[in-house]
Amino acid sequence: MALLDLEGTLGLVREAVAEGPACPLWIVTRQGVSVGMADPLGSAEQASIWGLGRVVGLEHSERWGGLVDLPAVLDDRTGARLARVFAGIGDEDQLAVRPHGIFVRRLVPAPLNDRPAPRDWTPAGTVLVTGGVGGVGAHVARWLARRGADHLVLTSRRGEDSPGAARLAAELRESGTEVTVAACDVADRAALAALVTSLAEAGTPIRSVMHAAGIAPLVPLTETDAGVLADTLAAKVA
């Protein structure tokens, strides 16, 4: 079985959607998700296809079948289970077929039972917040300041020239936190390395990182080409 990469999957999905409703569209990956500690991920790229698949399901529900992940080794039992998935298991649209059964995706609470609550985390030293002056990054920076962060380094492509950067920095400094707003595209490896080095040489090495950088182009899936996909993945994934 040949595995498509993320770009190849996007191309086939766009073609399938353009043809209009015909049959449910299923996206099949291999070792792209984990069903437990003994089931490690086999491919980061196959995992990223699950993110794409959820977008397909939201934008084109009329065509959507679902996502199904297969194990490394395919046998007759796996094939039979895959056929059962394609036939429909209730309303499930995110499943994994494994040698010991079919699994569905769930988000459930992890009860403490008699165990003590986890220790609260307090940021110490310098915390780097990528995309730190954007919408999500600003909320993260305020939270870190309330938690007692000593030094926040907020990055963005435009640095101090970013809209709202000066106001946010002033707000954070009022809480007693030292703030540095740096112009740095985290998709630029050399620029990021230079920032990390300069902070270490200044005696304020990075102790923690909150990654909030990214772009979200407001284009439908049918207009998302390889260039848009690459730009979107550069800061958030690569």
Side-chain angles (χ1 to χ4, degrees):
M1 177 183 293
L3 295 178
L4 288 174
D5 60 13
L6 183 62
E7 183 180 338
T9 303
L10 172 62
L12 283 182
V13 166
R14 289 180 59 185
E15 290 182 13
V17 169
E19 291 178 358
C23 62
L25 173 62
W26 283 88
I27 297 178
V28 181
T29 59
R30 182 182 288 182
Q31 290 186 291
V33 299
S34 170
V35 300
M37 296 293 290
D39 183 43
L41 290 174
S43 168
E45 183 144 33
Q46 291 288 291
S48 69
I49 292 174
W50 275 61
L52 173 66
R54 287 192 284 270
V55 174
V56 179
L58 291 170
E59 291 193 19
H60 299 281
S61 57
E62 76 285 354
R63 286 298 315 273
W64 187 233
L67 286 153
V68 57
D69 189 67
L70 300 178
V73 178
L74 305 179
D75 54 23
D76 290 343
R77 179 178 295 181
T78 302
R81 286 176 174 154
L82 181 60
R84 182 184 170 196
V85 169
F86 289 158
I89 301 178
D91 293 325
E92 303 296 343
D93 70 341
Q94 297 178 49
L95 308 97
V97 176
R98 293 295 184 266
H100 43 298
I102 299 174
F103 295 80
V104 296
R105 187 171 183 264
R106 291 289 185 273
L107 182 64
V108 296
L112 292 174
N113 297 324
D114 296 328
R115 294 172 296 175
R119 177 178 61 85
D120 284 343
W121 177 70
T122 300
T126 296
V127 182
L128 171 65
V129 184
T130 69
V133 300
V136 174
H139 283 295
V140 171
R142 293 185 184 101
W143 178 82
L144 288 166
R146 291 195 300 269
R147 300 289 294 180
D150 300 315
H151 179 206
L152 294 176
V153 178
L154 313 180
T155 69
S156 70
R157 289 181 176 87
R158 297 170 58 186
E160 294 180 344
D161 292 333
S162 300
R167 183 169 60 253
L168 175 63
E171 175 189 340
L172 296 172
R173 291 185 181 115
E174 288 179 358
S175 67
T177 299
E178 182 182 352
V179 179
T180 299
V181 180
C184 178
D185 181 355
V186 296
D188 183 335
R189 188 179 182 89
L192 186 58
L195 174 63
V196 173
T197 299
S198 68
L199 290 169
E201 292 176 345
T204 56
I206 296 170
R207 293 287 304 276
S208 305
V209 176
M210 294 290 186
H211 184 36
I215 62 171
L218 300 179
V219 296
L221 189 70
T222 53
E223 297 177 17
T224 301
D225 57 19
V228 173
L229 184 64
D231 289 343
T232 303
L233 295 178
K236 185 56 68 181
V237 179

